[in-house]
């Protein structure tokens, strides 16, 4: 029998091991937070993203209240994404041309002012639906510059060594806000109205702006800026087209984002028409997706390498899981699958983002991320209506199968192309030992 002193000693050693193990795990998962500039940025993003999700819910509810039309809600969403579809490439050029921290201070200030304007209009009772349309359009134009700048600014805060971790933590922050923001918005709308949700979102931009202002510029890793010149957009497109490690991940992101990420359409149809439940079930489905995505982001934060192979397999798995979920006969099978789909989908997202950023030259990163964000979000006005029509005509199961099949087939095709390219590329010749130059003497 173990004596009391021995038991106490083993207990202390075990506790110390647990603490040390947790510290190692946390240090790997959250290592980017050791960087002061990124810590300031992440703190502001937690507040701001929560406010953004609040505004999304409140904006849709406001438009629906003003018009009693789902089509009007769709128009609002389309107007917010339309500038990215039309001008997203130019946003990447501007991200490479101007200092990213100052650019973000400008774009975030504009977004905050737009939210404040919508709050004032709503709270004073003077809001009209075309006001909401105009503010959504202006917000889309601000996003054209903000998105590629914010994405490429991550490298300047943490350097390439911790880029994978920082991108994953950004995703975790976004998914956490996705869990909190809609719930808070629902309470506010029911209690005091949508206007207060817009007002709180306007205030939330103060967190981001404070973090950007308090950053230490000398601790950044600034990318070289390009001078204003003609042909910089074409130069960026040629640069992407000439590199398989850029063009094929971006192509794959375009297919998966356009056809596989139409959850607002598909999940609402499953809740209402397949399982014959109400809005509460639709909310549950979104929560499960967000929880799975959050888990995927935290797991990705521990990853130290990212290969194209992971990107392809994650996309194939994502599409296959969508097909399996579409064929799930019971609610008890469908709902848990959403957790796994969220996890695998986030694995794909993070792998694609870090692969593209690390493969791009620093002076090209803004333009590369402009194209990346264009295909990722700009496909929504195309894929959304198409998957919506298929879902409405043939049912939610068919809509989800089509989206998953396109994602999986596109991933398989890209994987095949990359495999053939790799086999066709001969290995670099090894210099003969005799002809190799001698090492310089100390």
């Amino acid at each position: 029998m173990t004596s009391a002193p021995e038991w106490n000693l083993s207990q202390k050693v075990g506790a110390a091991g647990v603490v040390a193990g947790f510290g190692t795990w946390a240090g790997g998962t959250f290592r980017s937070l050791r960087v002061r500039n990124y810590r300031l940025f992440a703190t502001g993003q937690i507040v701001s993203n929560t406010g953004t999700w609040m505004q999304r819910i409140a904006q849709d509810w406001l438009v629906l209240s003003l018009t009693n039309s789902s089509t009007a809600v769709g128009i609002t969403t389309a107007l917010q994404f339309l500038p990215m579809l039309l001008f997203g490439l130019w946003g990447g050029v501007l991200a490479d041309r101007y200092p990213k921290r100052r650019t973000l201070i400008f774009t975030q200030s504009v977004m905050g002012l737009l939210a404040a304007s919508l709050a004032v209009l709503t709270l004073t009772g003077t809001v009209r639906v075309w006001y909401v349309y105009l503010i959504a359009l202006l917000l889309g134009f601000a996003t054209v510059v903000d998105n590629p700048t914010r994405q490429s600014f991550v490298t300047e805060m943490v350097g390439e060594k911790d880029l994978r971790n920082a991108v994953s933590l950004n995703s975790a922050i976004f998914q956490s806000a996705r869990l909190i923001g809609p719930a808070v918005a629902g309470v506010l709308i029911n209690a005091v109205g949508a206007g207060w949700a817009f007002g709180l979102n306007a205030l939330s931009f103060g967190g981001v702006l404070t973090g950007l202002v308090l950053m230490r510029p000398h601790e950044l890793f600034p990318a070289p800026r390009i001078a204003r010149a003609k042909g910089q957009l074409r130069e960026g497109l040629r640069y992407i087209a000439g590199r398989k490690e850029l063009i094929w991940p971006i192509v794959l992101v375009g297919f998966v984002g356009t056809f596989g990420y139409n959850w607002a359409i598909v999940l609402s149809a499953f809740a209402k028409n397949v399982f014959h439940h109400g809005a509460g079930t639709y909310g549950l489905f979104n929560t499960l997706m967000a929880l799975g995505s959050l888990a995927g982001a935290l797991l990705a934060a521990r990853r130290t390498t990212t290969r194209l192979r992971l990107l392809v397999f994650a996309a194939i798995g994502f599409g296959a899981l969508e097909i399996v979920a579409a064929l799930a006969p019971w609610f008890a099978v469908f709902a848990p699958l959403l957790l796994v789909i969220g996890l695998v989908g986030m694995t794909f997202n993070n792998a694609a983002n870090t692969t593209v950023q690390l493969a791009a030259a620093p002076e090209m990163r803004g333009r590369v991320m402009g194209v990346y964000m264009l295909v990722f979000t700009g496909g929504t006005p195309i894929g959304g209506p198409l998957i919506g029509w298929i879902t409405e005509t043939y049912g939610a199961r068919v809509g989800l199968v089509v989206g998953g099949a396109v994602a999986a087939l596109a991933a398989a095709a890209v994987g095949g192309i990359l495999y053939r390219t790799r086999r066709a590329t001969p290995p670099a010749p090894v210099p003969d030992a005799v002809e190799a130059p001698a090492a310089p003497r100390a």
Side-chain angles (χ1 to χ4, degrees), residues 55-69 72-73 76 118-119 121-123 127-129 131-133 135 189 193-195 198:
Q55 174 147 332
R56 287 187 184 184
I57 301 301
Q59 178 179 275
D60 290 347
W61 186 262
L62 175 62
V63 172
L64 192 60
S65 301
L66 291 172
T67 64
N68 198 30
S69 169
V73 177
T76 308
L118 190 54
L121 289 169
T122 306
L123 291 172
V127 68
R128 300 292 182 269
V129 69
Y131 293 164
V132 184
Y133 288 164
I135 289 175
I189 292 170
F198 301 137

Side-chain angles (χ1 to χ4, degrees), residues 128-149:
R128 300 292 182 269
V129 69
W130 73 267
Y131 293 164
V132 184
Y133 288 164
L134 177 60
I135 289 175
L137 183 64
L138 293 174
L139 185 61
F141 276 110
T143 303
V144 165
V145 181
D146 184 84
N147 266 356
T149 304

Side-chain angles (χ1 to χ4, degrees), residues 221-396:
F221 303 86
R225 284 186 283 148
I226 59 172
R228 184 185 182 92
K230 292 183 178 180
Q232 290 174 337
L233 179 57
R234 291 193 299 273
E235 180 188 13
L237 294 175
R238 285 195 300 268
Y239 178 81
I240 293 171
R243 287 161 174 77
K244 71 179 189 304
E245 66 274 16
L246 291 176
I247 184 63
W248 291 118
I250 289 175
V251 167
L252 186 52
V253 164
F255 275 101
V256 175
T258 300
F259 297 98
Y261 282 175
N262 295 289
W263 293 107
I265 298 167
V266 175
L267 292 183
S268 59
F270 262 88
K272 182 178 180 181
N273 301 325
V274 176
F275 298 116
H276 308 291
H277 292 177
T281 298
Y282 175 52
L284 172 64
F285 287 164
N286 279 281
T287 299
L288 291 172
M289 285 286 296
L291 286 172
S293 299
L294 177 59
L298 292 176
L299 288 173
R302 293 188 56 77
R303 193 174 297 118
T304 57
T305 59
T306 302
R307 298 184 178 182
L308 290 174
R309 185 186 310 166
L310 172 65
L311 183 70
V312 171
F313 285 144
I316 292 174
F318 175 76
L321 283 167
E322 284 196 328
I323 295 173
V324 172
L327 302 177
W330 304 293
F331 179 90
V333 176
F334 179 82
L337 280 171
L338 295 179
L339 282 167
V340 187
I341 291 173
L343 189 153
V344 177
M346 184 54 63
T347 299
F348 169 77
N349 278 353
N350 286 330
N353 192 307
T354 54
T355 296
V356 169
Q357 288 214 52
L358 288 173
E363 67 274 11
M364 287 286 184
R365 193 166 285 136
R367 279 166 284 182
V368 170
M369 293 311 296
V371 175
Y372 178 91
M373 295 307 299
L374 168 66
V375 300
F376 186 66
T377 62
T380 300
I382 300 171
L386 179 59
I387 296 297
W389 175 81
I390 293 172
T391 299
E392 187 173 342
T393 305
Y394 300 103

